[in-house]
Each structure stands twice: as C-alpha cells, then as structure tokens.
Amino acid sequence: MILDGLGQLLSDPNLLALFAAGVLGGCLFGAIPGVNMLTLGAVLLPFTAQMVPSHAIMLYGVIYCSGVFGGAITAILFNIPGAPENAPTAIDGYKLTLKGEASRAVGAAVLYSALGGIVSCILMIAATPLVAGFAIRAFGPPEVFALILFGLAISMTVGAASPLKGALSVGAGLLIATIGSDPADGVGRYDFGSYYLLAGIHFIPVLLGLFAVSEVLAQLIGGAALRPGTARVGLGLPRLRELWAMRATATRSAGIGLLAGVVPGIGAVLAAFLSYSAAARLDGGRIGEGDIRGVVASETANNAATGSAMIPLLALGLPGGALTAMMLSVFQIHGIVPGPLVFATSTDLVGLLFAGMLLANVAIFGLGWLQTKTVVHILRIPFHLLAPAILVTALVGAYALRNLVLDVWVMAAAGVVGLFIRRTGYSIPGLVLGLVLGGIGESSFSKAMQMLDYQPLRLLERPLTAAFLALAAISFLGWTVDAIRSQRAAATLSRAS
C-alpha cells in the first residue's frame, strides 16, 4: 500500500506540486503566530470539493506534519512560538539562542521533529486498526482526566525558583482557565457581565504575551541580549555522543506523542506539554534554563502525535483534533465513510496519505535548513528596530485569532505578567501548563462524572485511571518533599547569615 502511494506521488508532477505547496504552506502558516495551520486548513476546505479525494486528504496530512514543525525555528530564535505546539520549545530553545547555541537548538529541533514524525508514520502504517481499537476501548474521559492531573502534578516543578512558586504558577493558570462558561451547565464564571469573556481566555494571546511581549519588555529594560552581528546560526545537528545521551528523552517523548495522538481529544499540543513536563521531572538537569533536552522533548512529541492522530480517524472515523476534524469533513464532502472498510475500498487514498506524510517528515530536514538560512538574517537587525516588528507581529497574531480587541488586551496584560514572573522566580511554563491543561481537564472531569453517576471513587475502578491517579499522587508527594527541603534550606541560610 505504501509503495503504491509513493509510486502515485512521485510519478505525477501535479501531485508533487500539490505536495510541495502543502509542505511550504503548512510550514509558513505554522510559523506565524495566530495564523496557524488551522487557518490554512479552513481556507482550503471549500476548494477540496473540486479535488480528487485522495489528493485532498494527502494535502491535509502534509499540512499537519509541516505545520506542527513550522513554529519551532521562530520559537528558538525569537521566543515567538508560531503555534501552541511549539510553546515548550521556546522555553529552552530561546535561552540556548541567548547563550550563542542557536545552531545546536535548531539542529536538535529539526532532527527530532523529523524522527518523531517518521516513527509515528511507521506506527500508523503498521498498526492502525490494532492500536485504534485498543485506544478507543481503553481511553475515555476518566483516563484523559487522570492523565492531565498527572501532567499538572509534574508541571509544578518546571522552571520555578522554588516548588511553592511552581505550584502557585500552575494554580494561576488553572484559575485563568476557569474564566468563561462552565463546561457542564454553561453558567458564566468570572465574566464580569462581559459577553466576550463568556467565551473564555484563549491561550494563544496569553502565550504571545508571556513569551514575545515580556521578552521585548525585559530586553528593553535590561539591555538587549541579541545584538547585531552576534547571531551566527546554522543547522548544528547533534553528534553521535549527544544522540546517545538524549536517547531516554527522545524515546519517552516519542511514546507520549504516539499515545497522545491516538487518544481522541489530546493531540499535538498536549503531547508537547506533557512530554516537556515529564522531561523536566525525570531527566533533571537544567531543563527550563536552556537545556537541549527541553527542545528534544517537545519537538519529538508534537511531531510523533501527527501520524498516530490518523489512526483513530482512519480506523474509526474519530478525529483527534481540529485539523483531523477538517479531514473528516473532506471525507464527508466526497461521500467517503472512514472506518475499517476504507482500507479495502480506498486503498489508493490510504496509501497516498501514508506516503505523503512520510515524505513530509523527511522534507522537514530541508525545510529546517531553508528556514534557518532565511529567518536567521533577521537576528542581525538592531534590537531597537526588531522589537517593534516583534510587537506588531504578536499584535496581529492575537487580533487575527478571533478578531477581538479583547485578545490584544489579554496579550498586553500577559506581557506585563510575564515580565513580573521572570523577575520574581515564578514559572511561565507552569502558568501555561495550568491554562492549557486546566480547560481540557475540567471538561474531561465533567464527562467522566456523568459516565460514573457523579461518584468520584468509581474513578479507581478503572485500571488505567487508577494508575495515572497513583502517579499523580506520587508526583505530588515528591513535590511536597521538595518544598519542605527548600524551606528548611532557606531557613538554614537565613540563620547562618
């Protein structure tokens, strides 16, 4: 099937041109904040009615792969994650840029994005019906809620000066996530009578403020760290010794990404955040302060989620995220019903999709080189000229999301909060994790309670849910021990001085 798909793709010049357009379009839209691959997918949707079904489905698969990677370079070089999937990449990637190690960070992002995507495609090709059946049977709202609770427990230790500040940062993110309508009964919370706040605070303006705006403010106040002439960026691929040293991080992140992609409703965004949190907790070191493993963790996981997200879509007709939901619409436009029969009745479509996504992940190597060679020159612009451009880009990205001035104000407020967090030792990653995971976790909890007749103890009757809850409890216990040790150490230093 995959060989037939490769034959179709490589022998048809028009199809190759469509493939190239999808790869470049996804990469470009993925790199622009606020105008991400979902925007491109939505714009293209009406035109798919005039296309051959297999070509349209392949185009969306290619956009998905390149779009998830697209924002990694700008996240590393400018601290501007083009898409939420790349936000964890910015945390360590940009600090590596400030240390003069941008080439190393970019090389790791390119290599591990491609590897994560290729591994995911191989799993998709080899085990779609088997894995989809297991995931759908084993994962429901209770398991998703428990998994998110585990992610939140881990995230309390990410990027903060002390465990308590990490926990407060996560709590602040969770509090912001409650703004808007209650997912169970639709009652407004913290909306202050505003119609716009009923829709909640979208996390993209918050990300732009916390990362891009606060970075501009910090550099304007403290003196620009990026000065003209200091930017020397290439594609510094890791050496064999580094590859071996990062094997545990990469393997675990690929596993998290594959699992997150298979489970409907999690997707690449949560894959990146959960993988980053796990790396921060399990790998130790200086993750959050400019550690290459932070880049490896998020970029491996978010690309690993792309191929596995096709598994429930093709095998059961269940989309795992917004872009796969658009792909389901393409199926419906052409009167095709995804499911086990699609492998027998539309082998050309499935083969072309598999081939397109596999080649798109291989093409990431070339895209990374091309993107680095083009955008790196921007780093040589004096910062007093670059800063307004960054602010305008962030402003346009925030407004373009929903055409709401409110999002611009949210971005500005998040920028000031981000500056405060940087100067006081609280955690930007913790706040972002609380915001992103909180909304989905609350929705999953509501659905889980409806399933379990509002008896929380029945969560423990489900083996996977119980296992994730136990891991969350162990992580919280570890956080408590760290907090006590931190307070005792501070008290000892205080008495000694």
Side-chain angles (χ1 to χ4, degrees):
M1 187 183 295
I2 181 69
L3 292 178
D4 289 342
L6 284 171
Q8 285 184 65
L9 181 55
L10 299 177
S11 62
D12 186 342
N14 292 329
L15 198 51
L16 270 177
L18 187 66
F19 170 82
V23 170
L24 291 174
C27 189
L28 180 64
F29 275 71
I32 302 174
V35 186
N36 53 34
M37 60 182 174
L38 298 179
T39 310
L40 179 60
V43 170
L44 291 176
L45 197 56
F47 298 99
T48 59
Q50 310 302 323
M51 299 171 69
V52 177
S54 59
H55 295 188
I57 292 295
M58 181 214 69
L59 177 64
Y60 273 74
V62 168
I63 289 173
Y64 194 20
C65 294
S66 60
V68 169
F69 163 74
I73 305 299
T74 48
I76 291 169
L77 297 183
F78 306 116
N79 205 20
I80 304 176
E85 294 91 334
N86 308 113
T89 306
I91 297 167
D92 285 275
Y94 185 66
K95 287 179 179 173
L96 286 167
T97 296
L98 294 180
K99 292 178 182 177
E101 299 180 40
S103 300
R104 187 165 164 247
V106 170
V110 170
L111 177 65
Y112 284 96
S113 292
L115 289 179
I118 290 169
V119 168
S120 181
C121 284
I122 291 172
L123 175 74
M124 171 181 71
I125 293 166
T128 295
L130 182 67
V131 177
F134 168 76
I136 299 307
R137 283 194 304 273
F139 268 84
E143 284 73 22
V144 173
F145 165 70
L147 181 62
I148 289 175
L149 197 63
F150 175 45
L152 287 172
I154 291 177
S155 62
M156 290 181 181
T157 61
V158 179
S162 70
L164 183 59
K165 288 185 174 180
L168 289 173
S169 303
V170 174
L174 290 172
L175 188 62
I176 297 171
T178 61
I179 297 174
S181 301
D182 184 293
D185 52 24
V187 175
R189 300 177 304 195
Y190 308 118
D191 58 11
F192 301 102
S194 167
Y195 172 78
Y196 298 109
L197 281 177
L198 269 177
I201 300 293
H202 202 285
F203 55 80
I204 287 183
V206 178
L207 287 179
L208 290 170
L210 289 175
F211 286 99
V213 177
S214 72
E215 179 62 33
V216 170
L217 294 176
Q219 294 213 29
L220 289 176
I221 294 172
L226 284 177
R227 298 183 184 284
T230 61
R232 294 179 181 177
V233 183
L235 196 62
L237 295 174
R239 297 179 179 178
L240 285 177
R241 188 171 60 183
E242 287 181 302
L243 286 174
W244 180 250
M246 290 186 284
R247 65 190 183 283
T249 305
T251 305
R252 182 181 56 249
S253 303
I256 291 173
L258 292 170
L259 180 64
V262 171
V263 179
I266 295 187
V269 177
L270 290 188
F273 279 103
L274 289 173
S275 176
Y276 184 84
S277 300
R281 180 67 180 169
L282 300 175
D283 291 340
R286 300 176 62 82
I287 290 180
E289 300 174 20
D291 192 315
I292 195 70
R293 288 173 298 180
V295 175
V296 171
S298 59
E299 284 305 309
T300 304
N302 62 25
N303 277 79
T306 57
S308 57
M310 297 297 123
I311 294 175
L313 176 69
L314 291 175
L316 299 165
L318 293 175
L323 196 80
T324 48
M326 291 180 191
M327 294 178 75
L328 185 62
S329 301
V330 176
F331 276 114
Q332 292 170 344
I333 287 171
H334 291 279
I336 301 172
V337 180
L341 285 178
V342 81
F343 291 90
T345 58
S346 305
T347 53
D348 60 331
L349 182 150
V350 177
L352 188 58
L353 173 64
F354 287 176
M357 292 185 70
L358 189 61
L359 287 185
N361 281 296
V362 175
I364 283 176
F365 284 108
L367 282 174
W369 178 83
L370 180 67
Q371 205 174 358
T372 304
K373 291 298 177 187
T374 50
V375 300
V376 68
H377 297 294
I378 300 174
L379 283 177
R380 297 189 172 92
I381 298 174
F383 189 76
H384 67 274
L385 298 177
L386 186 59
I390 292 174
L391 289 177
V392 169
T393 304
L395 188 149
V396 171
Y399 183 74
L401 180 68
R402 300 187 291 184
N403 293 334
L404 290 178
V405 177
L406 172 69
D407 287 332
V408 177
W409 286 111
V410 168
M411 181 194 73
V416 176
V417 171
L419 182 65
F420 170 78
I421 290 176
R422 287 165 185 264
R423 290 172 172 255
T424 52
Y426 288 90
S427 169
I428 287 179
L431 193 152
V432 172
L433 283 162
L435 174 59
V436 173
L437 298 182
I440 301 172
E442 184 184 10
S443 175
S444 300
F445 182 72
S446 297
K447 293 174 184 172
M449 287 298 97
Q450 289 174 9
M451 281 179 60
L452 304 175
D453 297 327
Y454 296 92
Q455 297 181 39
L457 288 180
R458 288 186 61 191
L459 287 170
L460 301 176
E461 296 174 359
R462 302 170 71 98
L464 266 179
T465 305
F468 286 130
L469 289 176
L471 289 172
I474 292 169
S475 299
F476 186 76
L477 187 62
W479 170 85
T480 306
V481 171
D482 289 344
I484 293 172
R485 285 177 177 170
S486 176
Q487 282 190 339
R488 285 180 177 174
T492 304
L493 280 174
S494 177
R495 284 196 297 270
S497 61

